[in-house]
Structures are given as structure tokens and as C-alpha cells.
Amino acid sequence: MTVHHPQTPQFFLTSPSPCPYLTGQAERKVFTHLVGERAPSLLDLLSQGGFRRSQNIAYRPACESCRACVSVRILVDEFRPSRSMRRILARNQDLVGRMGMPAPSSEQYSLFRRYLDDRHTHGGMSEMSVLDYAMMVEDSQVDTRLVQYRLRGPDSFFSEQSDGDLVGVALSDVMGDGMSMVYSFFEPEERSRSLGTYMILDHIERTRNLGLPYLYLGYWVNGSSKMDYKIRFQPQEHLMPKGWERYAG
């Protein structure tokens, strides 16, 4: 009989389901629970092996016939924004981003719903209720932060009470070797701002300011056009069979 130590994580495998990124492929995930005092150190360890967090679950792809999903992390100390990225930073100088504890609000959920209705009408998250959203934000036993991006008000330098409308939100974890962007969403009517790119650029700077070497972006899916944006942030490392390797594509 196998006896599991109470501190030893147990791993489980999901049943096959249609892949949301590649037509005709089936996805499976291996996952474990992040609970108790060891949750932060376990997430650090699992992130090195390509796992991602969703609430109190750490998971990674375990597909039988496909290896298109590749874990990506940006080398923040070496990163320099491209000319187009500098234009995006300049375009969003009228925004202020404030990082705090993960506390959900009705304002965030309204923005979340507008984002899903515009971008992901048929995705797995499309039916999320306000309670589901609150759990996504709050249900964490690791060091999780919420960054809210608002229009800068006349007195935003002195008080956040002066901040204007909410245009973007990022849920991120702070780990031993970097930050990990868990989920982000933004105002779909502000397309000209390129807010998705802007929030990544802002997180690169936040990670650098924390003295940490990596910003984890999750999975780049080779062959999925909606994941191509992750390749733009160079230099970066990809998790390959022999470990993390600098991407030279």
C-alpha cells in the first residue's frame, strides 16, 4: 500500500477535452492543489517545471500527441522595449497602475464581462458569474496582487481617490524568482491603447523593481495566432525538455 505524507502533493490527470487553441487537438492537464503553508514554495518549484496557477490549483499541459504549449518567461534585466512598444508606453502616460491585495469589486466584474463579451464569447470563462470572478481573484494561498489601471486624475499623484475610470486589471503572483501574470483583462473599446501589451511592459518594470529576474507569461502555443504576441518580448526563455533555454526565434 502506498502511503502519502500529508505534505507531499498528489497529482491528478484530467480527461481529454477539445483544445481551445488548436483545431482538432485534444488537451489534458496534470494538476495538484496549492494548500497550506507550503503553497508558496510549492508554486515556486512547480513554476520552474512549467506549471501555472488558477485559484488553488497548479496545472500544466499533459497532452498525449501534442507539445505545442511552451512555458515562457521574460529576462527582465535584459529587456529593452522596441520602438512600437515605446509608442505604446507614451500613449498610456495618462494611466496610473496601483498594485494592492486581491480584492474583487463590481466595477472590476463589469469590465471583465465587457472584455469576455468582446474577446471570448465562446471560451471556457464566458459564463463566469460575479461569484466565480470573486473566487478567481480571492482564492489564493500564495502572494497574489491585483494591479488596477485607471485614467490619471488631476490629483492622482497625491491620492488614488482622484483616479478616473478603470481600464485594465491584472491578477499576478509574486514568487521567489519573479512575477507571474495569472490573468489580465482590459477595456475593449480602448483598442488604440494596446492595453494588453502595456500591462506586460508595466509588469516587466514592476518585476525589475522588485529585484526579481523573470516575468512568467504562461504558455506560448506554437501555431495559435492569438498567442503570437508573447514572442514579441525579447529576450525570453522557453522551457524545453532539457530545461529553460534562451529563445532564438
Side-chain angles (χ1 to χ4, degrees):
M1 181 180 68
T2 302
V3 178
H4 292 282
H5 189 277
Q7 294 294 320
T8 302
Q10 298 184 48
F11 292 88
F12 308 90
L13 189 64
T14 65
S15 300
S17 61
C19 176
Y21 300 107
L22 299 178
T23 303
Q25 293 287 350
E27 71 167 357
R28 300 188 77 177
K29 295 186 178 76
V30 60
F31 69 93
T32 189
H33 297 277
L34 295 168
V35 294
E37 295 179 355
R38 294 187 64 243
S41 60
L42 180 58
L43 179 62
D44 282 0
L45 180 64
L46 292 176
S47 295
Q48 290 286 331
F51 279 73
R52 295 284 289 164
R53 183 184 72 82
S54 176
Q55 296 177 234
N56 285 323
I57 297 291
Y59 68 91
R60 66 163 297 168
C63 306
E64 295 177 359
S65 60
C66 179
R67 295 293 182 269
C69 292
V70 179
S71 295
V72 173
R73 65 186 187 187
I74 301 170
L75 301 166
V76 301
D77 287 335
E78 298 182 48
F79 174 81
R80 298 294 180 271
S82 66
R83 181 179 300 177
S84 64
M85 291 175 182
R86 291 195 297 271
R87 287 197 294 267
I88 290 170
L89 288 170
R91 197 177 304 147
N92 289 284
Q93 283 185 335
D94 60 338
L95 300 184
V96 57
R98 300 193 187 276
M99 184 164 68
M101 300 308 294
S105 70
S106 57
E107 184 184 27
Q108 293 166 25
Y109 180 70
S110 295
L111 177 60
F112 177 67
R113 281 257 49 104
R114 292 197 299 275
Y115 174 79
L116 290 182
D117 292 345
D118 182 78
R119 296 279 184 119
H120 303 286
T121 53
H122 302 295
M125 304 177 77
S126 61
E127 301 300 322
M128 284 180 65
S129 67
V130 64
L131 179 58
D132 295 328
Y133 173 77
M135 291 184 65
M136 181 179 78
V137 172
E138 293 180 316
D139 196 7
S140 171
Q141 296 194 34
V142 300
D143 186 2
T144 300
R145 314 287 179 88
L146 193 75
V147 186
Q148 300 188 72
Y149 299 88
R150 295 180 180 275
L151 294 174
R152 191 182 301 275
D155 297 314
S156 286
F157 183 79
F158 302 102
S159 170
E160 62 183 272
Q161 303 304 320
S162 177
D163 294 347
D165 292 342
L166 182 70
V167 298
V169 176
L171 186 68
S172 303
D173 293 336
V174 179
M175 305 186 300
D177 66 349
M179 291 189 74
S180 174
M181 297 188 72
V182 177
Y183 192 76
S184 61
F185 54 94
F186 50 85
E187 178 56 66
E189 293 186 0
E190 295 280 1
R191 285 180 173 81
S192 63
R193 289 183 177 272
S194 300
L195 287 167
T197 296
Y198 173 73
M199 287 192 285
I200 294 176
L201 294 170
D202 179 69
H203 272 69
I204 290 173
E205 188 63 23
R206 291 179 185 275
T207 305
R208 185 184 291 132
N209 290 340
L210 288 171
L212 300 172
Y214 306 115
L215 176 62
Y216 289 82
L217 286 187
Y219 303 113
W220 168 58
V221 184
N222 192 4
S224 173
S225 58
K226 55 184 166 182
M227 286 294 183
D228 285 346
Y229 72 92
K230 296 185 179 183
I231 298 298
R232 297 172 54 214
F233 300 88
Q234 300 283 345
Q236 63 183 232
E237 292 180 340
H238 290 185
L239 184 57
M240 307 306 288
K242 294 183 179 180
W244 289 96
E245 299 179 4
R246 196 179 185 98
Y247 177 68

